[in-house]
Amino acid sequence: MKIIKIASQMQKIALKHIKDGDEIGLVPTMGALHEGHISLIAKSVKNDDITIVSIFVNPVQFCPNEDYLKYPRPAKKDKEICKKNHVDYVFMPSANDMFPSDHKTFIEIKTLQDILCGAFRINHFRGVATVVAKLFNISCADRAYFGMKDFQQLKIVEKMGKDLNFRTKIIPCSVVRERNGLALSSRNSYLSAEEKKRSLNISKSLKEAAEDFKSRDLNFVKKTVINKLKKIPGSEIDYAEIVNFDDLSPANKNTKKAVFAVAVWIGKTRLIDNIMMIKDKGRSGQ
Ligand code: AMP
């Protein structure tokens, strides 16, 4: 396994692999790797000749009041995890290499970037889309792996890929959870033991919502989750929305395949989670 720190060098290596007929898989991450990331890496190792994991805490996707500086950066442990999981290249660029002071180009995904998390994290998805586009170009990836944990991010990257004719195929990967249901996240390390216990109610309420969605109307499903989330001590809801699975538009009574997406503060930690919900055959949701 090789560690590459410079974008132009990574691109040169990737181009050589393409020339040799290798297919390249990219797993973009911000590091502090856990089993969720490892599931993406495993898929790439299985599908692709070459697996590149990028580890980059992307400054342009953080708002000024967010946790950019305190975001965990366990570089040594991350490299060990990559090595153990048969990664070929770890790409760890500096912020200055990716976004030098004269960087001027940004990608916007209209509408999709302004809803759900985008309504609370101004410019977040513009930063995500831009860094992902750069990583696609640098890695020359045939496939790139994204977790459904960040469902809106996945949809935005898919839309960008389609609209801008990127050749990189987006591979969605299921959410990896602890046995108790908590979705794995690098930010879970901010939670105290007590907060972690409280946050289990997020995934639990979503799981129950997916059951309710089969037979109850949207209002009931939404209100039930909001009430449960409000009851978590020290919680504050940013949003709790039911949207269409395909395009994140608001769900209605005819929606057969939806996603319930939430962002909830537990103390000083903002957690996101979501669940896919499918209507029972023959029901319209009345
Ligand atoms: P991050 O390092 O948080 O930016 O995440 C990098 C990639 O890993 C993104 O595509 C995430 O959606 C994915 N990911 C993070 N947590 C999970 C999880 N619990 N299950 C599946 N994928 C995840």
Side-chain angles (χ1 to χ4, degrees):
M1 185 182 87
K2 290 205 169 92
I3 313 286
I4 310 295
K5 297 200 166 173
I6 296 166
S8 57
Q9 197 185 342
M10 184 72 256
Q11 194 178 46
K12 212 167 149 188
I13 292 168
L15 281 168
K16 169 90 171 53
H17 279 292
I18 295 284
K19 207 172 155 203
D20 292 346
D22 290 331
E23 295 201 344
I24 297 178
L26 170 71
V27 181
T29 81
M30 297 207 300
L33 302 179
H34 50 65
E35 289 297 329
H37 300 112
I38 292 172
S39 72
L40 273 54
I41 293 173
K43 270 201 174 180
S44 172
V45 168
K46 188 161 172 254
N47 286 344
D48 308 305
D49 300 310
I50 297 292
T51 295
I52 301 174
V53 173
S54 62
I55 297 181
F56 180 58
V57 184
N58 173 25
V60 302
Q61 72 184 65
F62 284 78
C63 298
N65 58 341
E66 290 184 343
D67 55 343
Y68 174 66
L69 290 174
K70 83 164 195 185
Y71 197 86
R73 291 165 169 85
K76 187 164 173 254
K77 192 170 162 224
D78 282 349
K79 284 182 220 166
E80 282 164 12
I81 290 174
C82 287
K83 190 160 185 205
K84 201 168 151 210
N85 287 280
H86 315 290
V87 169
D88 298 287
Y89 298 96
V90 181
F91 176 49
M92 304 175 89
S94 68
N96 192 47
D97 189 24
M98 291 295 274
F99 293 103
S101 54
D102 64 347
H103 182 96
K104 298 225 187 294
T105 309
F106 288 90
I107 294 178
E108 304 216 350
I109 289 87
K110 296 230 179 283
T111 324
L112 285 186
Q113 70 180 4
D114 300 323
I115 57 173
L116 304 174
C117 280
F120 295 86
R121 305 187 67 189
I122 306 307
N123 286 336
H124 170 66
F125 288 113
R126 169 185 187 259
V128 169
T130 304
V131 82
V132 168
K134 283 173 72 77
L135 290 169
F136 283 3
N137 282 333
I138 292 164
S139 67
C140 308
D142 292 277
R143 279 172 284 274
Y145 298 79
F146 289 87
M148 292 173 84
K149 158 84 174 26
D150 300 86
F151 193 74
Q152 185 176 12
Q153 170 175 284
L154 167 68
K155 289 288 156 181
I156 280 179
V157 170
E158 282 177 346
K159 190 78 183 94
M160 176 187 79
K162 186 162 182 274
D163 287 354
L164 297 183
N165 305 86
F166 277 99
R167 63 182 276 281
T168 308
K169 186 167 186 267
I170 312 296
I171 313 287
C173 304
S174 359
V175 184
V176 177
R177 298 176 181 279
E178 288 186 7
R179 283 167 77 95
N180 57 26
L182 180 68
L184 296 187
S185 163
S186 307
R187 288 191 168 98
N188 290 355
S189 64
Y190 300 155
L191 298 168
S192 68
E194 177 56 32
E195 286 174 332
K196 206 168 167 189
K197 216 163 116 192
R198 289 177 191 168
S199 61
L200 298 184
N201 288 308
I202 301 173
S203 53
K204 190 164 173 278
S205 65
L206 289 177
K207 209 171 157 200
E208 288 160 359
E211 266 313 301
D212 287 344
F213 181 77
K214 291 179 184 166
S215 54
R216 306 297 297 260
D217 69 87
L218 280 183
N219 249 340
F220 173 87
V221 179
K222 188 169 163 177
K223 276 196 182 141
T224 307
V225 166
I226 290 176
N227 286 337
K228 286 175 185 168
L229 295 177
K230 276 186 178 161
K231 281 195 188 130
I232 305 175
S235 71
E236 202 182 311
I237 303 172
D238 266 1
Y239 65 81
E241 300 287 350
I242 304 177
V243 293
N244 269 289
F245 181 90
D246 292 330
D247 61 2
L248 303 183
S249 62
N252 61 37
K253 63 182 167 52
N254 299 318
T255 304
K256 299 267 184 293
K257 195 175 177 189
V259 167
F260 202 141
V262 301
V264 186
W265 289 88
I266 303 290
K268 291 197 164 106
T269 307
R270 186 177 186 274
L271 299 177
I272 58 167
D273 200 352
N274 70 80
I275 198 159
M276 187 170 78
M277 307 195 295
I278 296 175
K279 193 73 82 191
D280 263 353
K281 280 201 180 78
R283 297 246 190 195
S284 70
Q286 291 301 314

